[in-house]
Amino acid sequence: MRGARGVWGWLLQRVTAVGLAVVLTVHLYVLHFAGEHAVLTVADVSVRLRTLTFILVDFGLLAFALYHGLYGLRSVILDYTTRESTVRAVTVGLWALGSIAFVYGALALLLLIKG
Amino acid sequence: MAKLDIERIRLKVYRFDPETDREARIDTHDVPYVDGMTVLDALFHVLEKIDGSLAFRFSCREGICGACAMFINGSYRLACETQVARVLREGHRELHVMPLPHLPVIKDLVVDMTRFWQNYEAIAPWIVTRTADPEKERLQSPAQRKLIDEYVGCILCGSCFSSCPSVWTGREYLGPNAMMKTYRWVVDSRDDAAVERLGRAGNEKGAWRCHTIFNCTEACPKKINQTSAIQGLKRRTVAAMLRGAR
Ligand code: SF4
Ligand code: FES
């Protein structure tokens, strides 16, 4: 399909939107509505994070939010220029930024999981 | 529409001639009011009786050619279809007539539509067929025709283009009209160039630049939903890629 560009990027943005709706709902429900509303300690969070569900929810939240947010930022930047070289530079730069942020966030989560 | 008990209407109209003026000004005229008068009639009164140098576009005077699209009392409207009484009934006390915003002014209410027409031409707004011509005509069922009903109503007035923030910032953006028209051909059962058309619009200068702001839909005097057509383009582009279209 000659001329088509950015199709998968856009599709992933839609997929992460659905993902975010799911994991954010779980996240907010667990945080604000489920169980007793006692003050949580780091140890409590750590215990909760050791279950597969919460590992998936929290890593999912991290990945989806990063992709969705950075894709939005890219869209704002591209509103001002669609020059091929700039688009490439912006895309590479934001992937790098997103990857670093993901590793950083993942390390923080792993620390919590270890307790 | 019930009669208005007024004799004159105050008309404020944008004036600017880039060749002679350093900045724009607003001229005020009190125009005799007659029942059924449209904004275009009021402009004609100024042109014929007060100031023959006022420039504005018009042609059909019945909402078909799209030439008279202007920004009237804060809304995109066709001057020939907008009754003065209606504007007053909205709560306005006078008429404010401006050119289509965000487009270069050639003179007064006449704007430069070059980019709009170039984008329109770029999407090949004509039927492309790959089969032998039929003896009489290419038939469409009522259901097939229904898919394009809304979009063929477009009169190319440029209001949607003028109202779109992505057009204001993105010099290369196709704009809502060209994309809506692309979709119109993509879903036309008689056209054989859907894949090429999707390729032309499914990129950073096309569909992905639409942020679903809906300004175009609100601006359209023919009530066409360009945003939904653009969403249709996005969906069909993804579907074509997933099918492995080349
Ligand atoms: S879609 Fe509506 S606003 Fe846009 S050019 Fe056509 S008639 Fe005018
Ligand atoms: S003069 Fe043709 S649409 Fe108004």
Side-chain angles (χ1 to χ4, degrees):
Chain A
M1 206 160 39
R2 237 184 47 203
R5 293 242 156 68
V7 183
W8 303 126
W10 178 81
L11 182 62
L12 201 50
Q13 188 247 6
R14 288 307 208 236
V15 171
T16 52
V18 176
L20 269 178
V22 174
V23 292
L24 265 179
T25 308
V26 176
H27 180 78
L28 291 175
Y29 177 76
V30 169
L31 235 62
H32 298 290
F33 301 106
E36 322 230 320
H37 290 250
V39 178
L40 279 179
T41 63
V42 171
D44 295 332
V45 175
S46 174
V47 169
R48 197 176 64 197
L49 256 178
R50 273 177 220 146
T51 60
L52 182 64
T53 313
F54 281 102
I55 289 175
L56 288 178
V57 166
D58 280 37
F59 276 95
L61 189 55
L62 178 62
F64 296 161
L66 273 172
Y67 183 86
H68 201 78
L70 291 173
Y71 185 90
L73 179 61
R74 178 178 175 274
S75 280
V76 174
I77 298 171
L78 264 53
D79 276 348
Y80 294 90
T81 175
T82 44
R83 243 196 19 229
E84 292 270 329
S85 52
T86 316
V87 175
R88 213 170 305 126
V90 168
T91 307
V92 169
L94 290 176
W95 267 111
L97 183 67
S99 306
I100 292 168
F102 182 81
V103 170
Y104 185 70
L107 285 176
L109 279 174
L110 287 173
L111 272 181
L112 271 176
I113 291 169
K114 278 193 195 150
Chain B
M1 203 170 278
K3 285 188 173 183
L4 274 187
D5 197 15
I6 54 166
E7 288 190 351
R8 306 184 83 75
I9 173 73
R10 176 153 293 182
L11 167 68
K12 291 194 167 167
V13 59
Y14 177 96
R15 304 299 305 266
F16 181 55
D17 183 348
E19 285 185 5
T20 53
D21 300 339
R22 283 182 58 199
E23 48 185 52
R25 65 176 197 280
I26 302 292
D27 280 358
T28 305
H29 305 286
D30 285 332
V31 175
Y33 176 77
V34 284
D35 278 331
M37 183 183 204
T38 64
V39 174
L40 191 65
D41 293 333
L43 292 174
F44 266 113
H45 178 87
V46 176
L47 181 76
E48 288 165 0
K49 303 266 167 54
I50 305 174
D51 183 351
S53 70
L54 175 65
F56 54 92
R57 280 196 185 109
F58 72 97
S59 179
C60 69
R61 300 190 190 201
E62 52 186 347
I64 289 173
C65 71
C68 69
M70 295 170 196
F71 199 61
I72 299 167
N73 289 74
S75 302
Y76 290 83
R77 313 187 207 221
L78 299 175
C80 69
E81 272 197 334
T82 306
Q83 296 227 342
V84 172
R86 164 171 296 184
V87 179
L88 298 190
R89 286 216 173 79
E90 287 170 2
H92 303 288
R93 294 162 142 225
E94 39 189 34
L95 291 178
H96 291 183
V97 183
M98 312 286 284
L100 287 181
H102 308 287
L103 296 176
V105 172
I106 295 175
K107 186 168 185 290
D108 302 334
L109 303 171
V110 177
V111 289
D112 184 353
M113 303 270 285
T114 309
R115 216 180 124 203
F116 174 79
W117 294 117
Q118 281 171 344
N119 289 358
Y120 185 50
E121 192 184 359
I123 61 129
W126 47 79
I127 191 163
V128 176
T129 57
R130 306 256 148 79
T131 51
D133 287 344
E135 246 171 57
K136 278 192 181 164
E137 57 199 303
R138 292 181 190 274
L139 294 176
Q140 258 187 331
S141 69
Q144 288 168 333
R145 161 69 206 205
K146 213 166 172 24
L147 294 177
I148 60 170
D149 264 1
E150 181 181 355
Y151 311 120
V152 293
C154 169
I155 55 171
L156 298 165
C157 69
S159 296
C160 53
F161 187 75
S162 153
S163 76
C164 173
S166 295
V167 168
W168 308 339
T169 53
R171 297 288 315 158
E172 299 166 293
Y173 176 47
L174 273 177
N177 175 267
M179 283 198 289
M180 176 272 289
K181 287 290 190 179
T182 301
Y183 184 70
R184 173 247 178 277
W185 285 109
V186 166
V187 297
D188 191 318
S189 56
R190 300 162 300 178
D191 190 82
D192 294 327
V195 171
E196 288 101 300
R197 293 186 191 281
L198 291 174
R200 230 176 265 138
N203 53 49
E204 302 296 0
K205 293 170 190 166
W208 319 132
R209 288 266 66 65
C210 170
H211 303 316
T212 53
I213 297 165
F214 283 95
N215 270 17
C216 52
T217 305
E218 206 177 301
C220 180
K222 294 296 170 188
K223 309 257 175 296
I224 295 168
N225 190 338
Q226 304 90 337
T227 312
S228 121
I230 299 170
Q231 294 307 100
L233 271 185
K234 291 174 181 175
R235 280 194 300 274
R236 280 172 188 261
T237 307
V238 169
M241 286 293 255
L242 290 173
R243 280 199 313 269
R246 294 183 164 268

